[in-house]
Amino acid sequence: MKPVVHIVDDDKSCRTATARLLSAHGLRVEVYESGDQFLAGLPDCEPGCVLLDLQMPGQSGLQIQRRLCELAPQLPVVFLTGEGDIKTSVEAMKAGAKDFLEKGSTTAALMEAIDRAFIQYERQRTGHDRLQAQRASVASLSPREAEVFRFVIRGHLNKQIAYALGISERTVKVHRHQVMEKLGVRSAAEAVSIAANIGLINQDAVAPAE
């Protein structure tokens, strides 16, 4: 699906001019006269970015940015404003804005900012998809495999797991093999990495035993 630039600006003339400019460069564009209107029709996992004004009636650009961090963190934000200042731009960048441009910036600067935002979106989407796949893999473990997995990611040896669960070491090896197969990994270190990614453990606190 071709990415879309969501232009959120209460200034109709600026909104229209920017939309025409981006459309002339072959980009898909959606326009909104307020942040509230944009949030009300927030796209579901559609690739793209948000070109966001700073000062608007209702919620400000920074407030909309904070809401996006909760509702659609995958959508990068590029601020395009005529009322920016250093303090506000720093606050916006700290909150995750990809770029902060002043209205009247060159077309080249605007297109470069949008390109960077699209690249960021793809990276975030790829990371999100990987995380979802890892969560699904862990959820697919049987109850016994899940028990073995929890011991493995905390660095326990097979004999220690066998003793803790009251089963044979050979049985632990079978379950451990199944865990590795379902997770698509070849080592305990990789299993630890998955567990850390999905928030089960702090990877730095674990030294996995092979």
Side-chain angles (χ1 to χ4, degrees):
M1 180 182 296
K2 192 174 182 180
V4 59
V5 180
H6 301 277
I7 302 174
V8 186
D9 194 331
D10 66 302
D11 186 330
K12 183 178 179 179
S13 61
C14 183
R15 187 172 68 240
T16 301
T18 304
R20 287 175 177 170
L21 174 65
L22 298 185
S23 295
H25 280 75
L27 296 175
R28 287 177 61 209
V29 176
E30 297 287 345
V31 296
Y32 312 84
E33 63 183 20
S34 70
D36 293 328
Q37 183 187 40
F38 170 61
L39 292 177
L42 193 63
D44 184 21
C45 298
E46 186 176 26
C49 69
V50 183
L51 199 58
L52 185 60
D53 191 14
L54 184 62
Q55 299 295 339
M56 297 180 290
Q59 297 189 68
S60 69
L62 289 176
Q63 289 174 316
I64 297 300
Q65 181 190 24
R66 286 192 286 270
R67 290 291 290 149
L68 280 174
C69 289
E70 301 171 1
L71 301 175
Q74 75 278 8
L75 276 178
V77 171
V78 175
F79 276 103
L80 183 63
T81 179
E83 302 181 28
D85 55 52
I86 294 177
K87 180 180 178 180
T88 304
S89 64
V90 169
E91 184 178 352
M93 299 299 278
K94 284 184 176 180
K98 188 59 184 174
D99 278 289
F100 195 99
L101 302 177
E102 292 186 1
K103 291 180 178 179
S105 295
T106 65
T107 299
L110 177 59
M111 296 303 297
E112 288 173 4
I114 290 173
D115 285 341
R116 286 192 292 270
F118 284 165
I119 291 172
Q120 179 183 345
Y121 174 88
E122 286 301 319
R123 288 175 177 168
Q124 291 180 331
R125 183 183 63 82
T126 299
H128 177 268
D129 290 348
R130 183 185 303 114
L131 183 62
Q132 292 298 97
Q134 290 175 342
R135 286 173 174 162
S137 295
V138 172
S140 73
L141 300 177
S142 70
R144 179 61 86 185
E145 290 166 353
E147 287 180 320
V148 171
F149 174 62
R150 286 193 290 270
F151 280 106
V152 169
I153 62 178
R154 286 170 173 77
H156 290 77
L157 299 171
N158 287 344
K159 61 182 179 181
Q160 294 173 317
I161 301 173
Y163 178 80
L165 297 180
I167 58 179
S168 70
E169 189 172 343
R170 181 177 180 180
T171 300
V172 171
K173 290 181 180 179
V174 171
H175 287 308
R176 185 169 183 148
H177 176 75
Q178 290 298 318
V179 169
M180 298 299 183
E181 286 286 316
K182 289 184 177 181
L183 298 184
V185 299
R186 296 183 178 181
S187 68
E190 290 178 283
V192 167
S193 179
I194 289 178
N197 286 343
I198 66 176
L200 291 180
I201 58 170
N202 180 352
Q203 185 170 3
D204 294 336
V206 179
E210 297 292 347

